[in-house]
Amino acid sequence: MMPRLKSITVTDFRSIRGSVSVQLDAPVVLIHGQNGAGKTSILSAIELGLTGAVHSLSRGGDTDYIAHLPHKLGNQGRVALTVDGLDGQSQTADLIVTSSGVQNRHLLGVELSRFFTERCYLAQSTLGRLLEIYQYQDQKRKNDSALTKFVKDLLGLDQLEALIDGLHSTGHVTRLRLLAPSYWAASKDDIPKIEGELFKLAAEQTQIETIIASSRLRVQQYFAARYPDNPSAATTPETALQFVLDGQEEAQLQLIARARRDLQASAAQWSLLVQNTQAVERASVEAEEGDARVALDAWRYVTGKALEAIHQEILPIFPDILSPSVGDPELARSVAHQAIDTELQRITSLLARDVADVAKLSELNQSIKQGKARTSVLDDQIAESAGLTTGLAQLLAQLVPHIQTEDCPVCGRDYSEISSSPLQAHVSERIASLTAQAGRLQALATDKAQTAGLVTAAEREHAEILNRKLTPELRDQMKTRRARFEELKAKLQGLESATAEGVALQRRASMALQRLSDFRSRDERSTSLRLSVGEIAQKLGQPIPGTAEPLEGALGRLLEYAEAQERLILDQKRTRLEVNNDIKAWQSAESRRTELKELIAKIKDRLQQLQNAKTEADRRLELARDLGRQAREARAAIVRRVFNDELNKVWSDLFIRLAPEEQFVPAFALPDKSGGSVEAVLETLYRSGGKGGNPLAMLSAGNLNTAALTLFLSLHLSVKPSLPWLIIDDPVQSMDEVHISQFAALLRTLAKQQGRQLVIAVHERPLFEYLALELSPAFPDDRLITIELGRTADDMTTAVYEPKIYIPDRAFAA
Amino acid sequence: MTATTPVEKVAEVLSAANFRRITTPLNLAGIQFDIPAAFVGTGTSSDFILLVDTAFDTEKRIQQKVEGIARALDSIGSMRPLTTVITGPRPLRLVIDAMSRVCRVLPLGVSNGATQDADIRNWLAVLLPLKLPEPSDVAEGAAAEFASAGAADPVTMALIEASSQGREEVERCLSMIISKPLDDIAAGHEI
């Protein structure tokens, strides 16, 4: 007995308000209702009753959908579904749905639940996505095509795909770089690095051991030679170091160096003294000094005295003048000569000007006299013209217009009586005469002023000359001095060569004296040199040179000793420094050895940890890799089972039924037998055979929809009908009338010939009626149930349920 | 096929599919309709199929006859789905649309000889029984089969569990599982 849906009661579930109870016990159940009336709610209630979930809601990614299953106005929904023929008996699921979950047991087990959601129930949302499948197909990224997603959804491959994709990176270690950076770092960097580090450290350890052995050997050899009675001195670097402290030789070296330097300086001084000390030369120097001194004294007595006398004479006149007996006599002489000469020139010019002034005075007296005489003449002339002023001329000019007749306008007398010329002419003449007079007067005044100025200038010069004129006493004194100075000048000139000789004598005497004193100081230095060499010998611990030993020999002896000593000490120092370095190398190598030991232990420990961890990580990786491989195999198996030639054949058959005119039929490119990812690639085939192109290019929009719908039906029909149910939610939304009528015929075939129980929801009234007619019972026991969903005034859901039974047709005799 | 006219060819196909030919002219509700051939389904099929040929009748005339037959069926309350198979040159779209309101229309049209038979079958396919290949067993649930298979190690279990929440979750889980041993060391033992 085939399983059959019998009845369902839905209460406050999704968009259904109140309680709706409908019978489903018919080959075909048609559900009609406006959008929102509850068609989809009934269908998803069937799904919930069967599988305990609503996959069409969870597929959208909404995992909280259960909270929204009860009607928004009721706090709990209820679904009671009865199915016949499950395990040979009638079963009923009574599910309580609250916002927190679903209570009670659904009807189907895992396998059948899967069958139902994959192959029996085509939800509206899934059908909606069928349309997208073609619109967004991207040929380049086959794995991600919408069709592939759809197929995966339909087959429940999502989880498997998630597993495979998620484990993709286990395929190759390089892919783990981003996913598990610490693992990547451990295997690619950390472990090799640590191993490399260990290797280097081991090498260093060997090197350190060598250093310790060799330096210890050298140190012990040194100590055996140097401190033979102290065998424990070189057991450790620390004790050894006590014996070779720095700076032991420095004081000694400094002492010797200083002594050597002093000796060298003494030798240099000595050679200098020896060079210049010649007894013969000394005697001649002394004689020369005596001679020079006598000659100088003689010169001083004659020339020096003469110069001094002159100096004394001119000193009152030139108080600043140099004395010849103090400094250079020639300089004193020439300065005195110069001073006398200058004074002589001054006196001479003074006296000459005085003579000129006398002559000038008499000249000036004459000029002044003449100027004064002229001034008085000019005064007289000015006085003469003084009455005739220019003012009168102007008055007369004003009067001229008033002279009309010969009668004088002033006195009234007739001018013609006096002269034959007219009065007016007479007045004009007079005016002209007066004007000329005025001009002359002006000139006279100017002349007088000039003359007076010249006289004044002459008088001023006169006074000036008078003023500077020498008094007779002074003039006489000047004359006397001029005579005396002329004499002194001559005398100084005469002394010129004698003075030069004096200068030479002076120089000679002083040089001789200088050389003599040099000799004296050398004698003193030689004595002190011998003393200091004695001191140095004492410091060096060498015999002090006696008077019998030549100083030069003693110096050589001491120098040789000091140098030998210095070499010896330096040699010791070098050896000690070498040993010191050896000890230090030994010491630092010892401490490094300890460090290395600890470090190596630590790193080995770390490496062990890392390797353990990596081994564990590798084990896990291997498990994950295995899992991925199993998942891929499982997927390949599933895909191979589902996408086979049978599926394509059924699909093609169904598609042709719905689109008889279409030249192409869609088909799956069958997956490679060897496995690999699901490549649900669609292609089209010519009906006559041969491949067409991408359905998107080859099929019209309506036929694409048809292709999608028939694909679903094919998936159902290509397997044994564990559940012979097809529940389709509003499948004809974008079909044209031709396709609808074909689809109706196909549904009829499925229901009546293939024995499938159909539950179809439609929302268009005419379509509902058309389908009701097309799917009406065709034979006895055939049956059609129509359910019309609606709402009451208070928004409660109503369901009008009507079973239609077979009525024998009267048109033709059967 | 041995028939020479398309009507007879269609008749052969339908007869082979257990449709019963009824005598013409038809007599429905007392009205006589003269059409080349008519069939009714047998068994579970209640189809009523008219065969017409545009080579012999005008389109207008065919339309009137089909509409008349549909009305006659209505008047006697017949529930039989009506199908008209049009052979010969395909009528105008307008005529087909008009007839589509009262019945299913299968306009076969005229195609070249090679594909003629196949075209006829394709058009009629919807009326013919569906032949399904021997159905295979249903594949077992993929993930379910998988989950039960290898749940030995907690690592595998965790990954399978994560796979229910998508690829990113699997990657996150994988990253965690692989990194953990090394991360643990890094956390406790920094050199």
Side-chain angles (χ1 to χ4, degrees):
Chain A
M1 182 182 174
M2 292 297 255
R4 173 170 275 202
L5 300 167
K6 295 294 274 187
S7 66
I8 189 164
T9 303
V10 183
T11 309
D12 284 341
F13 180 78
R14 299 194 66 185
S15 60
I16 290 176
R17 179 70 173 135
S19 194
V20 168
S21 188
V22 292
Q23 291 294 310
L24 302 171
D25 186 14
V28 181
V29 179
L30 278 178
I31 303 173
H32 169 253
Q34 294 301 315
N35 282 334
K39 300 186 298 291
T40 303
S41 302
I42 298 267
L43 300 188
S44 52
I46 294 173
E47 185 182 11
L48 184 73
L50 290 169
T51 69
V54 183
H55 292 87
S56 58
L57 293 179
S58 66
R59 271 176 194 155
D62 180 10
T63 49
D64 298 335
Y65 73 93
I66 286 181
H68 305 292
L69 287 181
H71 189 274
K72 60 182 181 292
L73 295 177
N75 44 21
Q76 81 168 30
R78 188 170 169 195
V79 171
L81 176 71
T82 304
V83 178
D84 263 3
L86 276 181
D87 299 331
Q89 55 185 335
S90 174
Q91 293 185 21
T92 298
D94 192 353
L95 274 62
I96 306 293
V97 183
T98 64
S99 56
S100 56
V102 180
Q103 295 165 27
N104 296 342
R105 179 86 194 129
H106 52 270
L107 289 175
L108 300 181
V110 177
E111 291 306 310
L112 286 179
S113 288
R114 177 169 299 282
F115 186 94
F116 179 81
T117 50
E118 282 173 10
R119 304 193 188 237
C120 293
Y121 181 34
L122 183 60
Q124 203 173 358
S125 57
T126 314
L127 187 60
R129 289 173 66 194
L130 284 173
L131 298 174
E132 292 171 15
I133 287 167
Y134 300 103
Q135 284 167 17
Y136 301 114
Q137 190 167 14
D138 179 351
Q139 285 293 312
K140 283 184 185 160
R141 298 178 60 217
K142 293 167 179 174
N143 277 331
D144 292 331
S145 77
L147 175 69
T148 305
K149 278 188 203 150
F150 165 71
V151 168
K152 287 173 184 170
D153 273 1
L154 215 55
L155 299 181
L157 282 179
D158 316 32
Q159 200 176 344
L160 213 48
E161 287 288 335
L163 200 56
I164 290 167
D165 290 349
L167 296 178
H168 171 74
S169 47
T170 59
H172 200 277
V173 183
T174 49
R175 295 183 198 139
L176 291 170
R177 186 181 217 145
L178 291 177
L179 190 75
S182 58
Y183 175 80
W184 169 264
S187 38
K188 291 292 157 190
D189 288 340
D190 295 354
I191 291 178
K193 211 163 79 187
I194 290 172
E195 282 168 350
E197 211 175 319
L198 266 180
F199 183 76
K200 269 193 278 179
L201 289 175
E204 194 186 343
Q205 215 171 16
T206 319
Q207 206 184 343
I208 289 285
E209 292 295 347
T210 318
I211 291 171
I212 288 174
S214 66
S215 54
R216 188 171 49 200
L217 182 67
R218 277 200 300 277
V219 171
Q220 283 169 350
Q221 280 170 351
Y222 173 81
F223 273 75
R226 185 80 195 267
Y227 306 101
D229 42 353
N230 196 349
S232 65
T235 40
T236 70
E238 283 75 20
T239 55
L241 210 52
Q242 304 295 322
F243 289 85
V244 289
L245 290 174
D246 271 342
Q248 293 174 338
E249 303 90 350
E250 292 312 310
Q252 240 178 320
L253 275 175
Q254 275 174 13
L255 181 76
I256 289 172
R258 201 179 309 126
R260 191 164 52 84
R261 216 162 40 239
D262 288 350
L263 284 171
Q264 278 164 347
S266 301
Q269 275 186 358
W270 179 244
S271 69
L272 204 65
L273 286 176
V274 167
Q275 209 174 23
N276 292 332
T277 310
Q278 308 278 340
V280 181
E281 201 183 337
R282 180 170 179 172
S284 83
V285 166
E286 277 174 351
E288 163 67 14
E289 199 268 340
D291 285 358
R293 199 166 46 210
V294 170
L296 186 60
D297 284 351
W299 178 84
R300 273 187 186 140
Y301 188 72
V302 183
T303 316
K305 230 175 200 172
L307 283 171
E308 185 59 35
I310 295 168
H311 176 72
Q312 289 301 325
E313 190 175 343
I314 62 172
L315 196 59
I317 300 163
F318 307 115
D320 294 338
I321 202 132
L322 295 168
S323 166
S325 52
V326 175
D328 182 355
E330 170 55 22
L331 182 63
R333 187 201 65 81
S334 68
V335 167
H337 184 264
Q338 182 69 38
I340 286 169
D341 198 32
T342 311
E343 181 65 8
L344 263 180
Q345 279 175 16
R346 190 182 70 87
I347 292 169
T348 307
S349 76
L350 211 62
L351 287 174
R353 198 183 67 189
D354 198 46
V355 172
D357 277 354
V358 172
K360 183 81 178 172
L361 270 182
S362 71
E363 252 174 58
L364 281 172
N365 278 336
Q366 179 101 17
S367 295
I368 291 166
K369 210 176 283 164
Q370 285 169 349
K372 283 189 173 161
R374 190 156 184 269
T375 311
S376 69
V377 171
L378 286 171
D379 275 347
D380 288 348
Q381 287 194 7
I382 289 166
E384 241 173 68
S385 312
L388 307 166
T389 65
T390 49
L392 182 56
Q394 284 168 351
L395 279 176
L396 284 179
Q398 285 174 349
L399 204 58
V400 168
H402 302 288
I403 300 170
Q404 307 292 342
T405 61
E406 293 303 298
D407 293 340
C408 172
V410 180
C411 63
R413 279 182 66 186
D414 186 356
Y415 182 68
S416 61
E417 290 175 4
I418 299 168
S419 171
S420 56
S421 61
L423 179 59
Q424 201 168 22
H426 173 67
V427 173
S428 297
E429 199 177 320
R430 186 78 179 132
I431 291 167
S433 159
L434 279 170
T435 310
Q437 289 271 10
R440 189 158 175 274
L441 186 60
Q442 182 70 33
L444 284 173
T446 308
D447 197 354
K448 185 194 163 190
Q450 278 174 353
T451 310
L454 287 173
V455 169
T456 311
E459 279 173 347
R460 196 162 51 238
E461 195 178 359
H462 186 256
E464 216 172 274
I465 291 169
L466 267 185
N467 209 22
R468 76 179 179 220
K469 203 165 174 299
L470 296 172
T471 58
E473 300 83 41
L474 189 59
R475 189 164 54 219
D476 289 348
Q477 197 184 339
M478 289 291 180
K479 280 180 180 166
T480 315
R481 184 183 287 176
R482 181 172 60 178
R484 180 60 190 151
F485 271 31
E486 294 278 13
E487 284 169 8
L488 285 176
K489 189 182 168 188
K491 233 183 218 171
L492 280 172
Q493 250 160 3
L495 281 171
E496 190 173 356
S497 63
T499 313
E501 196 186 336
V503 170
L505 284 172
Q506 251 183 3
R507 194 173 300 136
R508 182 178 152 209
S510 83
M511 272 171 70
L513 193 60
Q514 178 65 39
R515 287 173 70 185
L516 196 62
S517 70
D518 277 356
F519 276 115
R520 283 171 190 153
S521 81
R522 271 177 215 164
D523 285 349
E524 285 165 22
R525 266 153 48 202
S526 165
T527 314
S528 73
L529 203 57
R530 187 168 276 275
L531 275 175
S532 72
V533 169
E535 279 171 28
I536 294 166
Q538 203 171 10
K539 272 185 201 160
L540 289 176
Q542 291 290 298
I544 298 166
T547 42
E549 188 180 17
L551 191 54
E552 206 168 347
L555 278 171
R557 171 172 63 85
L558 289 173
L559 258 176
E560 207 171 297
Y561 172 76
E563 278 166 7
Q565 199 64 21
E566 197 173 35
R567 273 196 302 277
L568 185 69
I569 296 172
L570 279 175
D571 204 37
Q572 277 175 4
K573 184 182 176 184
R574 192 175 44 72
T575 320
R576 187 190 53 77
L577 280 178
E578 277 170 13
V579 171
N580 195 337
N581 283 341
D582 277 340
I583 295 172
K584 280 180 179 160
W586 177 17
Q587 191 175 29
S588 80
E590 287 277 8
S591 79
R592 180 65 185 156
R593 177 164 66 177
T594 319
E595 257 176 46
L596 276 177
K597 214 167 149 188
E598 282 172 22
L599 192 60
I600 287 172
K602 207 163 132 188
I603 289 175
K604 272 186 176 159
D605 186 36
R606 162 91 175 140
L607 182 64
Q608 190 55 50
Q609 278 185 323
L610 266 178
Q611 280 168 338
N612 288 348
K614 183 167 180 295
T615 309
E616 171 59 14
D618 280 339
R619 187 188 72 83
R620 293 174 176 207
L621 185 60
E622 194 48 47
L623 278 173
R625 205 174 280 153
D626 258 5
L627 187 65
R629 192 166 47 241
Q630 287 168 24
R632 276 196 303 279
E633 279 165 10
R635 178 179 64 182
I638 290 164
V639 169
R640 270 200 297 277
R641 273 191 300 231
V642 175
F643 296 99
N644 50 23
D645 287 322
E646 281 74 29
L647 177 69
N648 273 346
K649 194 160 182 295
V650 175
W651 190 9
S652 164
D653 196 344
L654 294 180
F655 181 78
I656 287 171
R657 280 166 188 265
L658 296 196
E661 266 189 306
E662 183 59 60
Q663 287 305 304
F664 302 99
V665 290
F668 273 105
L670 293 177
D672 187 356
K673 286 277 189 283
S674 63
S677 62
V678 179
E679 287 187 9
V681 182
L682 279 179
E683 56 190 18
T684 53
L685 301 172
Y686 285 97
R687 284 188 181 169
S688 50
K691 275 190 185 179
N694 171 9
L696 188 62
M698 309 308 286
L699 300 179
S700 68
N703 283 345
L704 282 174
N705 187 24
T706 305
L709 189 57
T710 49
L711 170 59
F712 169 74
L713 294 174
S714 310
L715 286 168
H716 174 84
L717 292 171
S718 61
V719 295
K720 277 185 184 162
S722 308
L723 300 170
W725 304 327
L726 279 170
I727 295 167
I728 306 180
D729 193 359
D730 228 352
V732 291
Q733 281 182 347
S734 60
M735 279 188 188
D736 56 28
E737 283 181 29
V738 177
H739 282 102
I740 288 170
S741 70
Q742 308 289 87
F743 182 59
L746 178 60
L747 288 178
R748 197 147 49 80
T749 307
L750 292 175
K752 309 210 186 299
Q753 188 201 328
Q754 299 295 330
R756 297 300 195 271
Q757 186 179 12
L758 304 183
V759 181
I760 314 286
V762 289
H763 84 277
E764 272 182 60
R765 182 83 203 174
L767 182 62
F768 169 70
E769 282 170 356
Y770 172 69
L771 287 177
L773 176 69
E774 188 84 34
L775 297 170
S776 61
F779 50 88
D781 291 337
D782 192 12
R783 194 189 262 197
L784 168 70
I785 290 175
T786 61
I787 298 166
E788 289 197 62
L789 295 173
R791 291 200 183 275
T792 63
D794 58 351
D795 224 23
M796 300 297 277
T797 306
T798 60
V800 178
Y801 149 83
E802 192 177 342
K804 294 183 175 164
I805 54 161
Y806 173 68
I807 302 162
D809 190 55
R810 291 181 287 124
F812 314 102
Chain B
M1 289 188 193
T2 55
T4 53
T5 64
V7 168
E8 287 313 313
K9 281 188 180 184
V10 173
E12 276 181 19
V13 172
L14 291 177
S15 299
N18 281 333
F19 284 92
R20 180 167 60 87
R21 190 165 188 163
I22 52 176
T23 52
T24 49
L26 292 175
N27 196 330
L28 288 171
I31 307 167
Q32 201 159 345
F33 297 96
D34 184 17
I35 56 166
F39 285 85
V40 288
T42 58
T44 58
S45 168
S46 60
D47 276 302
F48 180 32
I49 303 167
L50 305 177
L51 266 62
V52 295
D53 190 342
T54 52
F56 296 103
D57 248 338
T58 64
E59 295 171 3
K60 201 72 195 159
R61 187 86 188 94
I62 290 171
Q63 184 187 341
Q64 284 168 356
K65 282 181 189 169
V66 170
E67 285 170 347
I69 290 168
R71 269 197 302 277
L73 285 174
D74 283 348
S75 68
I76 55 175
S78 172
M79 300 295 279
R80 287 184 188 273
L82 182 60
T83 303
T84 306
V85 179
I86 305 175
T87 63
R90 190 169 293 178
L92 292 174
R93 190 76 239 167
L94 201 69
V95 176
I96 293 177
D97 286 349
M99 290 196 289
S100 290
R101 280 182 218 114
V102 296
C103 66
R104 176 181 302 114
V105 182
L106 305 177
L108 303 191
V110 178
S111 49
N112 70 54
T115 61
Q116 175 87 49
D117 290 353
D119 286 344
I120 288 173
R121 282 193 174 279
N122 286 341
W123 273 110
L124 295 180
V126 76
L127 299 173
L128 305 180
L130 186 58
K131 285 203 187 83
L132 293 177
E134 192 58 39
S136 54
D137 280 328
V138 172
E140 278 182 39
E145 171 189 2
F146 203 73
S148 59
D153 195 279
V155 169
T156 317
M157 298 251 280
L159 287 170
I160 290 174
E161 201 167 308
S163 71
S164 67
Q165 289 172 60
R167 172 208 169 131
E168 284 80 8
E169 183 61 23
V170 175
E171 281 181 347
R172 202 193 61 71
C173 181
L174 179 67
S175 162
M176 202 272 286
I177 281 172
I178 294 180
S179 303
K180 194 164 186 309
L182 289 153
D183 286 348
D184 283 351
I185 303 184
H189 193 305
E190 201 67 48
I191 286 187

